[in-house]
Amino acid sequence: MELLFSLVTGVLSASGLYLLLRGRTFSIIVGLTLLSYAVNLFLFSTGGLQTHSAAVIGASETPADPLPQALVLTAIVIGFAMTAFMVILAIRARAELGNDHVDGKQGEEGSTR
């Protein structure tokens, strides 16, 4: 299970980094979202990967650490707010500049209209 977890985290990180390096705003938004998923998985794994363990003391023999779960829940809420802000910022930049390239110049991929 740990191998699959680390592979998924690595693939999400690599995909997010690849999309961040592209010059389009939508790619950057998706890349940051994938990176936040990878960080959330990493934070979740810091508490130890246990199956059938409740985060409540007394509910199971080996309770899971609730701190990583609380951190991931907080990170999900903050990530959702940041994604909404980035989408609004990208829409505004698209309306002002006429394209979705991050530096406002037309890229070599052609027209965006």
Side-chain angles (χ1 to χ4, degrees):
M1 181 166 165
E2 287 85 7
L3 178 66
L4 177 66
F5 208 81
S6 61
L7 281 176
V8 169
T9 304
V11 167
L12 282 175
S13 299
S15 301
L17 188 61
Y18 173 75
L19 288 174
L20 271 180
L21 295 177
R22 299 184 53 94
R24 304 288 181 182
T25 55
F26 183 71
S27 302
I28 290 174
I29 292 170
V30 173
L32 283 174
T33 303
L34 290 179
L35 270 178
S36 71
Y37 289 156
V39 169
N40 288 343
L41 285 176
F42 174 73
L43 283 175
F44 190 71
S45 68
T46 58
L49 299 176
Q50 301 173 353
T51 56
H52 306 293
S53 295
V56 179
I57 297 174
S60 66
E61 293 179 11
T62 57
D65 188 11
L67 183 61
Q69 297 174 11
L71 286 174
V72 168
L73 183 62
T74 304
I76 288 171
V77 171
I78 292 171
F80 180 72
M82 285 299 296
T83 302
F85 177 71
M86 286 187 302
V87 167
I88 296 299
L89 199 61
I91 290 172
R92 178 67 187 257
R94 169 88 166 104
E96 292 286 326
L97 301 173
N99 62 26
D100 66 341
H101 207 265
V102 291
D103 60 358
K105 298 176 184 173
Q106 201 69 345
E108 50 276 337
E109 295 177 15
S111 176
T112 58
R113 293 184 181 198

